[in-house]
Amino acid sequence: MKITIYGSGCKNCVKLAENAKKAVAETGVEAEIVKVEDMKKIAMAGIMSTPAIGIDGEVKIKGRVATVDEIKELIA
Amino acid sequence: MFIIFERFADLVAYSLFGLQAGTRLGESVHFFFYDTTKIIFLLSIMIFFISIVRSYFPPEKTKKLLSNYRKITGHVMASLLGVVTPFCSCSSVPIFIGFVESGIPLGITFSFLITSPIVNEVALVMLYTIFGWKIGTLYLVSGILVGIVGGIVIETLGMEKQVEEYVYQISSGESEVEELDWSDRIDFAKAEVKEIVSRVWKYVIIGIGIGAAIHGYAPAELLAEYAGADNPLSVIAAVIVGIPLYSNAVGTIPIVEALMGKGVALGTALSFMMATTALSLPAMIILRKVIKPKLITVFVTVVGVSIIGVGYMFNFIM
């Protein structure tokens, strides 16, 4: 599974990446976490407000920091 | 309603620190504790309610709404939506690309991008608490006007070639918007309060601290002479000084309020606040990713001149 974190590197994006790491660790799911910081690519993914999280290329939650529990549900 | 904060400030300034009421130091310390506690309390409550309203206007919805309007109506709508759409400067590039790529005219996109940072919930809370509803409303209305006028001018100048080519080649298509129920909206609002308050409390304290010092110590005659309504150049100087100063409205407002108490004219003060929030170096560096230097120059000039206009208007009518 591939978890993508979209964001320009601002504080919220760092927080989201941390939450994703925690969720992966807590569920034990095999997943790779990738960060996308290029604005062009973020816009191309149809995201207008960062941070956002995507699973296997599909954007799931955007415009806010998804919680550890929310991410767990997404990857479970 | 604010008596509890008054009592708290009494307690700290006069009992804990043993200062005398009526002395310069005593008054400054009292003012500091009264204002910081009151503003942080009000900010938390107001951000909560404003965030509930904002949860109805995600950028995707704003984009859809805006693509239905053209010309003046488009600029007015964009500027109004700039007030309610959640926005942070780190999202300005994806928002810009999303708008332009979906066919919203460049000038209308700018109307949105100009108003959004000038009029935000934190600035409004600070203005309404510190200055009262009259000045708060004046600021709100003139911020919206600056966005409308700025966008119209940019549209009229036909700057489409000054947008980086790749922006037009991106096609992001439609993306879904999460459906929210009430408990989602409340969670969103709670998260916003936590995020915004933890980000801005330092600036509230620093701003009020400087404001308190000005209240007690700054020489009134000198400021009134240089920045009073009678000095025609004061507005221009305030805007030029304000542009490179990157401060959010939070830190600036208490300082400006204290300066006004010392005779700085209202229009000059409002222009200064708008310049620090609307035009900042970091925001321009971010925008440079999507627009060319010529359009950045036009953007700064148009917004700068509109803000100066607002300043003169207020100095003239007040």
Side-chain angles (χ1 to χ4, degrees), chain B:
Chain B
M1 181 191 167
F2 299 128
I3 192 84
I4 175 168
F5 302 110
E6 186 86 53
R7 290 280 163 276
F8 171 74
D10 285 346
L11 199 73
V12 175
Y14 306 138
S15 305
L16 191 66
F17 290 165
L19 297 166
Q20 290 290 314
T23 60
R24 271 185 175 183
L25 188 62
E27 291 301 313
S28 287
V29 170
H30 185 270
F31 169 84
F32 174 79
F33 281 98
Y34 175 64
D35 260 31
T36 44
T37 47
K38 186 180 77 176
I39 285 173
I40 289 174
F41 171 76
L42 283 172
L43 267 181
S44 313
I45 294 185
M46 290 305 294
I47 292 170
F48 182 82
F49 287 109
I50 294 171
S51 300
I52 298 270
V53 176
R54 286 194 151 184
S55 71
Y56 288 91
F57 295 94
E60 289 81 5
K61 207 165 172 185
T62 300
K63 180 173 95 171
K64 234 181 224 160
L65 270 170
L66 280 182
S67 46
N68 297 326
Y69 299 98
R70 285 292 177 272
K71 306 234 161 82
I72 304 281
T73 333
H75 291 284
V76 174
M77 287 299 290
S79 193
L80 290 174
L81 286 165
V83 177
V84 290
T85 305
F87 173 85
C88 100
S89 59
C90 46
S91 286
S92 58
V93 165
I95 286 187
F96 181 89
I97 296 176
F99 278 19
V100 170
E101 167 270 325
S102 74
I104 295 171
L106 191 60
I108 293 183
T109 304
F110 268 100
S111 283
F112 177 89
L113 285 179
I114 294 169
T115 307
S116 215
I118 301 184
V119 186
N120 62 62
E121 70 280 16
V122 180
L124 284 178
V125 169
M126 301 281 290
L127 281 165
Y128 279 91
T129 15
I130 296 185
F131 289 113
W133 66 271
K134 247 192 205 161
I135 293 180
T137 311
L138 273 178
Y139 182 89
L140 172 72
V141 172
S142 45
I144 293 170
L145 273 180
V146 167
I148 296 173
V149 172
I152 292 175
V153 173
I154 290 173
E155 187 65 37
T156 316
L157 291 173
M159 304 296 289
E160 282 70 19
K161 287 229 164 65
Q162 300 303 319
V163 174
E164 293 290 347
E165 284 80 15
Y166 78 83
V167 172
Y168 294 114
Q169 287 149 18
I170 287 176
S171 134
S172 62
E174 286 300 303
S175 67
E176 300 160 43
V177 184
E178 260 184 287
E179 282 300 321
L180 300 176
D181 60 25
W182 264 102
S183 86
D184 291 333
R185 290 185 204 284
I186 288 169
D187 284 345
F188 169 76
K190 275 192 203 153
E192 286 286 294
V193 171
K194 213 170 130 195
E195 200 270 318
I196 297 176
V197 173
S198 69
R199 181 159 47 87
V200 303
W201 69 271
K202 310 181 262 298
Y203 301 102
V204 173
I205 290 179
I206 294 169
I208 294 173
I210 298 176
I214 294 172
H215 264 286
Y217 300 97
E221 304 74 27
L222 196 74
L223 280 170
E225 190 186 327
Y226 284 108
D230 298 335
N231 182 348
L233 290 177
S234 70
V235 175
I236 298 176
V239 171
I240 293 172
V241 172
I243 294 174
L245 273 185
Y246 177 59
S247 155
N248 35 32
V250 193
T252 321
I253 291 167
I255 300 175
V256 164
E257 190 262 347
L259 288 173
M260 280 176 63
K262 296 286 177 180
V264 173
L266 174 66
T268 311
L270 284 181
S271 299
F272 178 73
M273 272 190 271
M274 286 189 178
T276 54
T277 52
L279 300 168
S280 71
L281 214 51
M284 285 175 230
I285 292 169
I286 291 175
L287 275 180
R288 174 66 192 90
K289 288 183 184 156
V290 276
I291 60 182
K292 295 175 186 169
K294 197 173 160 193
L295 182 49
I296 294 195
T297 315
V298 169
F299 167 69
V300 175
T301 315
V302 168
V303 177
V305 170
S306 322
I307 293 175
I308 290 171
V310 167
Y312 281 116
M313 200 172 73
F314 283 132
N315 278 353
F316 187 69
I317 57 171
M318 296 303 274

